Structures are given as C-alpha cells and as structure tokens.
Amino acid sequence: MAGQQYSQPMYINPNKQRSSGRDALSMNINAAKAVANVVRSTLGPKGMDKMLVNSVGDIILTNDGATILDEMDIEHPTAKMIVEVSSTQDNVAGDGTTSAVVITGELMDKAEEMVHKGVHPTIIAKGYKMAAYKAQEILENYAITTTKGDREVLEKIAKTSITGKASESYGDYLPKICVDAVTAIEDNGEVNVEGNILITQEVGGKASDTELISGIMLNKGRLHSNMPKKIQNAKIALVNAPIEVEKTHIDSKVQISSPDEMSACTDREESQLKEMAESVISSGADAIFCSKGLDDRAVHYLQKNGIFAARRVGSSEMKSLSHATGARLVQDVNELEETDLGTAGLVEQEGEFDNTKTYIKGCPNKIVTIIIHGGTEHVTDNIERAIDDALKVIKAVVEDGKIVPGGGASEIEVALGLRDYAVSIGGRQQLAISAFADAVESIPKSLATNAGFDSIDSLLELRTKHSSIENAGINLNTGETIDMYKSNIVDPLRVKTQAIKSASEAAVMVLRIDDVLRSQKQSMPDVKPEHNVNTYEGMTPPQMPGRR
Ligand code: ADP
Ligand code: MG
C-alpha cells in the first residue's frame, strides 16, 4: 500500500535503487514540481529570463520553456518526462511550452495534497482524465472562429506569441514579417514552416532591419572569380559529400623514393578530382552546392566549364535548397545524374569578399528566407526563437482558424466550467476535477505574479468579472481586468488544448507509477565491468519512464 516501505525482494539486483508506493509517488511529484518551478517565473510578457551556460561556456539567454528545459540536461527520469511535455507542446502547437509545464507541475502539487488526504492516485488519475476531456470541450466552445487567412487576426496571434517571448520593443514589424512569410508559402490551407521558411541570422545592424526575401539566401558566394555571377534558369546540383580526395582515417605513411612516384601520386589525386568534376559537368548542372569541402583542383575544372560552385553550405540550407529546387541530395558526386538536378529561375551572387551572398530565386516550390538582424548573437538567437514560435502559431491559426483570448481569459473560462462540472459529478472525483480547475488557474496566477501583482487578488477579480466583462483577462501593465480580445491579445486554440492535453497525460502517467527501479551508474567502485549486469537472467530490464 502507499507509504509502506518495501524491503528489497531477493530477486532484485542489490545494485538497484528501489523506491515504492508513496515514496515513489512523492519522489516523482517533487521532480515534476521542480521542473515547473524552474520555468514558472518566465511565463508571460513580464516573465524573467534564464541564463544558461553550457559545459564549454556558451551562454543562452532565454525565457522559452522548451529551450530552457532542453539545455538544462535533466537527469531525473520523471523530470525527463515533464521535459517531454514541453517538447511535445513545441512540436504540436509551437507555443505554450511554459504553460504546459506549469500546469503539469500544478497538477502534481494538487495530487500530492489529495493523496495526503487519503484519495487514491487511481481516483485522482481518473478525475484528471475526465477534467481534461471536459476542458477540451469548454475550450472548443469558447474559441472564436476566424475567417481563414484574416491578416489582422494572424498579426495579433503572432504579436501575442512574440511579446510572450521577446521584448515588447519588437513592436509590429516582426509579427508582420512572420505573417508575410507564412502567407507566402501557404499551400491550399497547409503550411510547412520547416520545409518552406529558411531563417538566417546576421549579427550587426538593428533588430528592425530584419527582413523577408522570397527564395533562399546563402551567406557565401562562388569559389572562383571566373565562375558566373548570375545564372538564369539554372540547373542545380546538390552534393552532400566532400568533393575531395578521401583521406585515410588511420595514420598511414606513403613512402616515396623517387620524384616519379611523387608525381604519380599527385596525378592519381588529380585524376580522381577531375573525374568528380566531370561527373558534375556531364550531368548538365549550371550550379553546384556542396555541403562539405570542395577541392581547389576540382574548382578549377568547374570554373573552366562555366559552372557556379559553393562549398560548406549548412545542412538546413541544403534541405531548403532541395525542397525549393526539387534537386536530390546526392551522397556521392560520381553518381550525380541529370535526373538529380533541380531548377531555379535565378542564381545570383551579390557583393564581394567578406560580404558575399548568393540568392536562389524563382524555384518550383515556394520558399522564403527571413534574415534576422540584431546587435549581438544573443539578440539574434532570441529573435529567432520568438520568430520560430510565431511562425508556428500563425500556422496553427491558418490551418484551424480558431483562436481564444489570452492573458488568462481562456484558463478562467476552463476553471469555472470545470468547477460546475465537478459538482455535477460528485464523489471523490469531484475533488480531482476541482483540483484540475485550480491547476489551470495557475496560468493567470503566474502571469500576475510575474508582472508584480498579487496573484490572489488578480485571480479573484478575474473570476468575479468573468461574467460582466467579456473575455476578461489581466492587463499586465496595470493589473486591471480587461477584455483580452478587444485588446488584441489572442492565442491559437491549438496551443491551449494541447497544453491541457499533454499536461494531464503526463500527470496521469506519473500518478500511475508506484515503483521506481533505478540502475546504479556503471562506475560503481566495487563492480567489475564484466559483472556489471543490471538485471538477473530471466528478468526483463525495468522500463524506466521517459525517453531513455
Ligand atoms: P508559453 O511558453 O506558455 O507560451 P509565454 O511566456 O509565451 O509562455 O506566455 C504565454 C502567455 O502569456 C499566454 O497565456 C498569453 O495569453 C499571455 N500573454 C502574452 N502577451 C500578453 C499580454 N500582452 N498581456 C497579457 N497576457 C499576455
Ligand atoms: Mg509563448
């Protein structure tokens, strides 16, 4: 039973740490709460930032929930499950990562209280599932359906997402750029942000210089001044391997005893490189982009044949080039064929020396590039994370056409609805459903706390004014309760439904664990490597929750 201390049964490897029943539950609850507590203070436009320093001293300054948890290198298995909540949220909805984790932590906190009061975790889990289901329904009914592609709405959505992340000083131009980008690549109501929008950073200049261009821009140019600077209707080859003579992986010595042998050796290399260049030439390519090195001797043959070549092109750029031009990413240049080539209306280099750029435009598939400018790399990184979220929320609204008022309004609606529902259910599950309502309310509470207001006062006012003021949420500048929709603070419905879904699923999963068996680290001092087995024969290894 819960709370009972188990002695280690004989058949379990003594090198395993075991916690069971109430111990396991409280350990897991604490881990989930700890993760939520890390990100809680970053929630909302007034949230604080975290400074993350990795093992090589690189610094990340961010208030993006998913990034913080990703960079924290969390080891605790349950905490890892909570981190997964944020990555799922990021993948499905693109925003709301902090909210999802905060709600999860709060659900665990409430569960702990109920367990102390004698409610069995299974009852709590059932109540949470019912509440999550009901919450989806409440949100669906509360959502406002927008005209698909309504620019004004999309800009509001993008702005709320960006101000939740980066500073409000980015004003209206970043949301506008994001909406332009998404509408430029939208295809029959579908938006492929990863495939069709390329983001590059240029440190220097102001954030307001951030721009959107159609096509792809690479921060590099041709490898030889004799290569063409501008090609119209270009056939494009993409090579994902070095166009160089392969070096041996082990230290080897070639003994050369005469000048003839020396020249034979270089001749062999030369002919190999020539063969590679010939393969490009005979494919009919006008331009080649290589993701790895490209030997100068091969460059020589390519320029002689009027072919444009660029090397060490980044992997995301290679993918975008492939997507846009229709070219196949070839793994061996000797196998390049005409059918592997893609096309572009224009390949053009601008600038010289350090300031060279290549534009690839007029591709068969729509593609745009957002070029981020900013004073330092931290600024551009932050803008990139904000843009990344904004693009995904715009995508969500373009695809679903549904939004909800932000600033805690939708959470209050859910909480009030759930409390009514709890009464109608009765019994012990009523407790769990009401607790779920409290947990969802942690969002407006945290928004208010982070803006320096009293969370209890703000919450009480929100609840009481919910019926008199439509879409009542918190104005984080004044602490007043205002109509969020009229104030243009709106979130996609998908962000809110997903946050509740992933938070409740994670909470239910954690509540159902009553045994944790943890293998000792491999470096146990008295365990010889060959005997360092973690399970005895016939026992399947315990499945630790989480990814690994
Ligand atoms: P998340 O990672 O959960 O998206 P954010 O830090 O981006 O966390 O905060 C999102 C929350 O902030 C949402 O609930 C959103 O409605 C709210 N929000 C954003 N801008 C404002 C604003 N200007 N006033 C009030 N609430 C806002
Ligand atoms: Mg956000």
Side-chain angles (χ1 to χ4, degrees):
M1 221 25 246
Q4 200 175 319
Q5 196 60 42
Y6 283 71
S7 61
Q8 200 93 303
M10 289 303 290
Y11 52 83
I12 290 183
N13 186 331
N15 286 332
K16 277 193 187 306
Q17 285 175 353
R18 183 182 191 203
S19 17
S20 304
R22 181 82 68 91
D23 284 347
L25 187 61
S26 83
M27 181 183 90
N28 289 336
I29 285 177
N30 284 333
K33 277 164 53 181
V35 176
N37 284 339
V38 171
V39 294
R40 189 189 308 273
S41 64
T42 69
L43 187 78
K46 307 285 176 188
M48 305 295 274
D49 288 348
K50 302 275 169 192
M51 182 189 257
L52 304 159
V53 187
N54 70 10
S55 53
V56 289
D58 284 343
I59 298 169
I60 296 180
L61 278 179
T62 182
N63 67 6
D64 179 60
T67 310
I68 296 167
L69 297 178
D70 212 35
E71 294 290 331
M72 270 177 56
D73 219 359
I74 286 170
E75 278 204 353
H76 190 284
T78 315
K80 272 188 184 166
M81 287 170 68
I82 311 303
V83 175
E84 262 184 33
V85 169
S86 80
S87 49
T88 311
Q89 179 74 23
D90 200 27
N91 292 339
V92 177
D95 197 7
T97 48
T98 314
S99 305
V101 173
V102 168
I103 297 175
T104 315
E106 210 68 20
L107 285 173
M108 298 322 303
D109 190 41
K110 304 285 169 212
E112 192 175 32
E113 282 171 25
M114 284 184 279
V115 171
H116 282 308
K117 282 185 198 154
V119 185
H120 195 275
T122 314
I123 305 280
I124 304 172
K126 175 130 192 259
Y128 277 4
K129 272 191 196 163
M130 291 166 74
Y133 189 79
K134 186 73 186 172
Q136 304 287 327
E137 199 182 294
I138 299 169
L139 281 170
E140 291 279 351
N141 289 334
Y142 190 55
I144 301 156
T145 307
T146 64
T147 330
K148 285 212 168 160
D150 183 339
R151 237 200 111 85
E152 222 177 294
V153 172
L154 297 180
E155 278 181 24
K156 287 177 195 169
I157 282 283
K159 193 168 177 191
T160 308
S161 170
I162 288 174
T163 45
K165 180 114 310 117
S167 127
E168 278 161 275
S169 60
Y170 295 137
D172 292 326
Y173 62 90
L174 277 190
K176 275 202 171 75
I177 284 177
C178 295
V179 174
D180 285 342
V182 172
T183 40
I185 56 127
E186 184 204 330
D187 188 10
N188 279 330
E190 277 189 25
V191 178
N192 177 0
V193 170
E194 266 100 34
N196 295 19
I197 302 180
L198 186 68
I199 303 178
T200 64
Q201 298 188 4
E202 274 194 26
V203 177
K206 302 186 294 294
S208 55
D209 296 334
T210 297
E211 57 187 319
L212 175 78
I213 60 155
S214 82
I216 295 173
M217 187 204 80
L218 303 178
N219 270 323
K220 51 186 63 198
R222 59 199 171 149
L223 290 169
H224 196 286
S225 55
N226 281 354
M227 287 178 174
K229 247 185 148 180
K230 182 174 177 178
I231 313 164
Q232 259 150 352
N233 298 324
K235 288 197 186 131
I236 314 271
L238 300 178
V239 177
N240 223 356
I243 303 182
E244 288 170 333
V245 176
E246 215 170 312
K247 300 199 173 54
T248 51
H249 291 295
I250 41 167
D251 267 348
S252 57
K253 278 187 190 154
V254 179
Q255 281 210 332
I256 290 171
S257 47
S258 72
D260 285 353
E261 279 182 35
M262 178 71 191
S263 87
C265 197
T266 47
D267 283 354
R268 233 185 346 264
E269 278 193 11
E270 180 104 17
S271 75
Q272 275 181 29
L273 289 164
K274 190 173 178 188
E275 201 182 316
M276 290 179 181
E278 285 296 341
S279 171
V280 178
I281 297 159
S282 63
S283 75
D286 301 306
I288 172 169
F289 297 92
C290 178
S291 62
K292 303 273 164 51
L294 207 165
D295 195 291
D296 287 341
R297 285 168 286 179
V299 169
H300 168 76
Y301 292 112
L302 294 173
Q303 60 89 12
K304 272 194 139 184
N305 285 276
I307 296 174
F308 176 103
R311 68 182 159 207
R312 302 203 190 283
V313 179
S315 65
S316 65
E317 278 125 348
M318 289 297 277
K319 269 192 213 144
S320 299
L321 278 168
S322 167
H323 192 77
T325 63
R328 199 170 73 85
L329 285 169
V330 175
Q331 303 301 334
D332 179 356
V333 67
N334 289 320
E335 286 172 12
L336 184 72
E337 288 186 12
E338 197 183 346
T339 48
D340 297 323
L341 304 182
T343 55
L346 179 71
V347 173
E348 187 174 21
Q349 175 181 318
E350 277 181 18
E352 288 292 351
F353 309 112
D354 281 352
N355 195 21
T356 329
K357 296 190 174 31
T358 303
Y359 295 89
I360 298 99
K361 295 184 175 170
C363 303
N365 283 320
K366 296 178 202 167
I367 200 145
V368 293
T369 305
I370 298 176
I371 307 159
I372 299 172
H373 291 264
T376 69
E377 213 176 306
H378 297 303
V379 175
T380 50
D381 278 349
N382 233 349
I383 298 179
E384 178 160 352
R385 279 190 288 271
I387 287 185
D388 196 51
D389 279 14
L391 294 173
K392 288 188 191 146
V393 293
I394 301 168
K395 168 190 160 83
V397 176
V398 168
E399 289 178 352
D400 306 344
K402 291 196 171 164
I403 58 170
V404 289
S410 67
E411 285 83 4
I412 292 291
E413 172 79 10
V414 169
L416 293 175
L418 282 182
R419 288 207 182 88
D420 288 345
Y421 174 62
V423 175
S424 74
I425 296 293
R428 290 192 162 203
Q429 268 139 29
Q430 174 178 354
L431 278 180
I433 298 169
S434 301
F436 200 102
D438 294 344
V440 174
E441 273 181 346
S442 64
I443 299 301
K445 261 168 96 177
S446 306
L447 285 174
T449 310
N450 292 348
F453 301 112
D454 185 276
S455 61
I456 308 285
D457 288 352
S458 306
L459 197 61
L460 289 177
E461 183 166 316
L462 268 186
R463 279 188 200 158
T464 45
K465 294 211 172 143
H466 187 76
S467 49
S468 57
I469 299 180
E470 221 178 328
N471 309 314
I474 314 169
N475 177 340
L476 296 174
N477 289 322
T478 61
E480 283 168 331
T481 302
I482 51 164
D483 183 330
M484 283 289 143
Y485 189 65
K486 281 200 189 131
S487 314
N488 299 333
I489 297 159
V490 281
D491 291 307
L493 172 66
R494 196 191 287 183
V495 168
K496 298 294 177 188
T497 49
Q498 183 60 38
I500 288 192
K501 199 165 160 232
S502 32
S504 59
E505 280 171 3
V508 166
M509 213 153 36
V510 174
L511 279 171
R512 294 176 58 85
I513 301 168
D514 78 340
D515 229 334
V516 176
L517 293 153
R518 194 202 281 249
S519 299
Q520 299 278 339
K521 282 256 153 63
Q522 299 271 315
S523 55
M524 290 280 293
D526 52 349
V527 181
K528 286 184 195 148
E530 62 269 34
H531 294 124
N532 189 10
V533 277
N534 289 325
T535 49
Y536 282 120
E537 247 179 300
M539 256 192 87
T540 47
Q543 293 294 306
M544 290 308 291
R547 266 178 294 198
R548 273 160 281 159

